[in-house]
Amino acid sequence: MPDVRIRWSEALAVGAAALDTDHQHLFALTNDVLAAMLDGRGPNVVKAALRDLEAYTRQHFSREEALLDETGYPEAEAHKASHAHLLAQLEKIRAMAGEGQPERVARFLQSWILDHILVADMDYARFLRKRARSEAPAEVAQKILVVESSRFFAAVLQEEIQAATGLTVETCGTFAEARLALRSHGREYLVAVLNVILPDAADGAVASLCRETGVPTVVFSGTYSEDLRERLTAEGVIDYIVKDTPASIGQLVSVIRRLVRNRHAKALVVDDSVTSRSYIGDLLRQYNFRVLLATNGQEALEQLAEHPDVSLVISDFHMPRMDGIEMVKRMRATHSKERLCIIGLSSGGGTAMSARFLKAGANDFLPKPFLREEFYCRVAQNMELLELITSLREVSTTDYLTGLYNRRHFYDVGETLFASMQRGTIALTAAILDIDHFKRINDTLGHDAGDHVLKAVARNLRAITREAEIIARIGGEEFAVLAINLAPEGVYGFFERLRAAISGIEVTIDGKTVPVTASIGVSTGTAGSLDAMMSKADEMLYLAKRSGRNRVEVG
């Protein structure tokens, strides 16, 4: 008997953490049904596995439909109708399972789940991404202020921070200059880096000035005093770094980079205590997070459903309606550790409470009361781990130069789409695009010029195609496109528009204008495999090249 299990792949990820985690669990439950059939465990076990699959499917659809309504998805009713249709099809699955046909059940379930993910859920995920971009707040603070009496250190910090963040860094050498800058342009500063020992003011006075103007502050000083450190951290300083070794500059830059990245992150604070909730929320706002608040676990789940882009949750344990442990368990049912960081807090329970939070799925735990500096260190470490995982995932699927998908991801997704085409769920069109005379550009103007051309072509491909299309750079000057559900009569026109858009590109290198054209080969016919489709597209590309270049050939 062949292996009929359904395997999850990152190619199926829609990019919404809650949906992806639900889908992975649906895959696991589906495989439980198939395993029960293949192992001959009897009809009662198979029926129980099917009941579990149906129950979780209904829960998933219920959560998803609530999200559709909360986010104002314009296609919500059609999406809900597809859910109802899928649930109705479970009767057919039960009948096939009762007849002991695991291979037919596997094919049916694969079609049942994959087609919904690839079409309906992918459309919704694209809507969520567009909504998140449109709701992103306008950036006000775009500069960094360095207050340092040493001109040498000020110049070093300005260069290092500017290189690490890409933001403008302004410097002041005295308290008077800092006061003028903060009172005139305080809202423009994302963070201030301070040497608290200045010739024209008392120690720490400039930190108090930053607090008054609401600018987050990091102290970078050659002087260390425990009393001064405690006083400044009590006043809201994010970190106190001593400039005693060359490595201390790297430590400072790391803190600044964290503050810059936090501008785009949402954090959810969950605590029934008004005082504690407000205090932690203020800490995170000073750390440049966009902060949401909840008074208990149930309210936090609702907030997370409404804001699926939350990346950090800080939660107490003791709360009414739903405690922190139960909340973490429920969040982990839809959000993996790789996509959502959860840090537990509690003033009681000792080390056992830490273990309970971690076993429930929390990334980290902090006992109350905690030091501000330790809180920021824990948050920074956990956020950096999330970002590292995201970066590794992107590296594995993205072309480093153009930002398009790479060859590996193209074929991973393509195989799944091809399987859907074979089931008759979607129509699929494959194309290969090759930049004309690209070698000549590299040979005459250099590889930097070639890179500029590749990036320009990639930008145009992204601009003119729909989000449903899979576009990748598959090698050198070759790009590939998989278009879903193009009408047969519209295939040529679609790729002709791509060709025309590229032929309008002119790249200027060292005063020389480089015209760009491309040839495109398209495969529309049915084929036995994705490789066969791509081979046909390659044949059509060769025909386009042989027929004069800068043209589209469809076969």
Side-chain angles (χ1 to χ4, degrees):
M1 178 71 68
D3 187 351
V4 295
R5 289 175 299 173
I6 305 174
R7 288 181 170 79
W8 174 261
S9 161
E10 279 299 317
L12 297 170
V14 298
L19 300 184
D20 287 336
T21 306
D22 267 15
H23 293 159
Q24 291 177 57
H25 194 54
L26 284 173
F27 272 50
L29 291 172
T30 298
N31 287 327
D32 288 346
V33 173
L34 298 173
M37 297 180 68
L38 290 170
D39 296 345
R41 299 177 193 170
N44 289 336
V45 176
V46 174
K47 287 179 183 177
L50 277 169
R51 281 197 300 271
D52 289 344
L53 174 61
E54 180 175 358
Y56 191 82
T57 300
R58 292 184 183 278
Q59 291 175 21
H60 165 59
F61 285 168
S62 177
R63 284 192 291 267
E64 191 169 277
E65 288 174 9
L67 197 57
L68 295 174
D69 292 335
E70 289 168 4
T71 55
Y73 184 46
E75 303 298 326
E77 294 308 313
H79 198 112
K80 291 176 185 177
S82 71
H83 287 171
H85 175 68
L86 290 174
L87 289 172
Q89 287 184 305
L90 279 172
E91 291 297 328
K92 295 181 181 179
I93 296 175
R94 289 196 197 96
M96 284 187 284
E99 295 167 5
Q101 302 179 55
E103 290 186 62
R104 285 191 63 201
V105 171
R107 287 195 297 270
F108 197 90
L109 284 173
Q110 188 175 43
S111 173
W112 187 73
I113 295 174
L114 291 181
D115 294 344
H116 182 69
I117 292 174
L118 287 167
V119 181
D121 286 343
M122 286 289 189
D123 285 344
Y124 179 56
R126 283 188 284 272
F127 165 77
L128 287 179
R129 288 195 292 272
K130 286 183 177 178
R131 179 174 179 265
R133 287 196 296 268
S134 66
E135 289 181 350
E139 299 291 354
V140 177
Q142 293 284 5
K143 297 191 291 188
I144 294 170
L145 179 66
V146 171
V147 182
E148 171 59 67
S149 57
S150 165
R151 291 184 178 180
F152 170 75
F153 260 111
V156 170
L157 294 180
Q158 184 177 40
E159 182 178 349
E160 292 287 337
I161 295 171
Q162 207 156 281
T165 65
L167 299 180
T168 299
V169 178
E170 296 181 351
T171 63
C172 295
T174 65
F175 179 84
E177 290 175 1
R179 180 171 54 195
L180 178 61
L182 286 165
R183 290 183 175 172
S184 303
H185 309 289
R187 287 179 55 82
E188 298 176 15
Y189 296 119
L190 177 71
V191 60
V193 178
L194 311 177
N195 182 348
V196 291
I197 310 299
L198 296 173
D200 57 339
D203 294 355
V206 68
S208 300
L209 181 62
C210 286
R211 185 190 61 183
E212 292 170 10
T213 52
V215 178
T217 304
V218 177
V219 171
F220 188 64
S221 177
T223 302
Y224 181 80
S225 157
E226 190 62 34
D227 291 341
L228 180 61
R229 187 196 68 81
E230 288 186 7
R231 176 164 65 84
L232 293 178
T233 53
E235 290 185 1
V237 167
I238 291 171
D239 207 345
Y240 192 115
I241 300 171
V242 181
K243 53 181 179 184
D244 54 353
T245 68
S248 59
I249 294 178
Q251 184 183 353
L252 172 66
V253 169
S254 179
V255 172
I256 300 301
R257 191 186 292 118
R258 176 77 270 141
L259 284 160
V260 171
R261 290 175 178 169
N262 286 350
R263 294 178 301 170
H264 309 292
K266 281 185 184 177
L268 173 60
V269 179
V270 193
D271 201 315
D272 62 324
S273 164
V274 175
T275 303
S276 180
R277 191 170 64 246
S278 176
Y279 174 66
I280 296 169
D282 286 343
L283 290 181
L284 291 170
R285 288 188 193 93
Q286 290 172 26
Y287 215 28
N288 282 336
F289 280 93
R290 289 178 279 160
V291 178
L292 304 170
L293 303 174
T295 60
N296 57 65
Q298 184 59 47
E299 190 177 316
L301 293 175
E302 294 167 3
Q303 286 272 37
L304 190 58
E306 185 176 350
H307 301 274
D309 56 337
V310 165
S311 54
L312 174 67
V313 176
I314 309 284
S315 178
D316 189 34
F317 170 67
H318 295 287
M319 295 180 290
R321 294 185 66 190
M322 184 186 295
D323 65 37
I325 300 289
E326 181 61 25
M327 181 207 73
V328 172
K329 290 178 181 177
R330 298 208 186 176
M331 285 185 175
R332 283 294 174 241
T334 56
H335 294 69
S336 68
K337 284 186 176 182
E338 291 76 21
R339 296 183 182 274
L340 176 69
C341 170
I342 304 175
I343 300 177
L345 303 174
S346 182
S347 56
T351 55
M353 182 60 69
S354 171
R356 289 183 65 193
F357 259 107
L358 295 173
K359 286 181 177 180
N363 300 68
D364 207 344
F365 177 83
L366 263 176
K368 293 180 179 178
F370 49 78
L371 291 174
R372 292 169 59 98
E373 285 174 291
E374 183 181 10
F375 176 82
Y376 285 136
C377 285
R378 295 291 186 92
V379 169
Q381 288 174 358
N382 281 282
M383 289 299 295
E384 283 164 9
L385 182 58
L386 279 188
E387 290 167 1
L388 176 61
I389 292 170
T390 300
S391 177
L392 290 173
R393 188 182 296 118
E394 289 177 354
V395 166
S396 70
T397 62
T398 306
D399 173 59
Y400 76 97
L401 181 65
T402 63
L404 299 178
Y405 290 131
N406 60 21
R407 184 185 186 91
R408 173 184 172 183
H409 187 71
F410 178 85
Y411 277 95
D412 283 347
V413 175
E415 292 292 353
T416 304
L417 292 174
F418 185 83
S420 292
M421 182 189 76
Q422 284 190 312
R423 292 191 297 270
T425 308
I426 62 171
L428 194 62
T429 305
I432 299 177
L433 180 152
D434 186 271
I435 300 172
D436 297 327
H437 304 298
F438 186 74
K439 185 176 184 300
R440 185 187 302 168
I441 296 172
N442 275 338
D443 290 346
T444 58
L445 297 174
H447 288 279
D448 285 345
D451 288 350
H452 281 294
V453 170
L454 290 169
K455 291 176 184 177
V457 169
R459 283 195 300 271
N460 276 262
L461 287 174
R462 273 195 298 259
I464 200 168
T465 53
R466 302 171 301 171
E467 287 202 46
E469 269 73 68
I470 307 299
I471 311 166
R473 181 186 174 209
I474 58 173
E477 67 272 27
E478 279 195 342
F479 298 81
V481 179
L482 285 175
I484 299 172
N485 293 336
L486 283 181
E489 64 275 12
V491 169
Y492 179 83
F494 175 82
F495 288 100
E496 175 59 22
R497 287 194 295 276
L498 289 188
R499 185 208 60 76
I502 292 168
S503 68
I505 298 173
E506 289 186 346
V507 178
T508 302
I509 307 292
D510 295 332
K512 296 180 180 179
T513 299
V514 182
V516 181
T517 65
S519 302
I520 305 176
V522 184
S523 171
T524 59
T526 57
S529 66
L530 177 63
D531 284 339
M533 282 192 78
M534 296 303 290
S535 293
K536 184 63 177 179
D538 198 42
E539 287 179 26
M540 293 298 102
L541 174 63
Y542 178 73
L543 178 59
K545 292 284 190 181
R546 194 176 56 191
S547 302
R549 294 185 170 85
N550 192 23
R551 58 187 293 123
V552 176
E553 292 290 344
V554 180

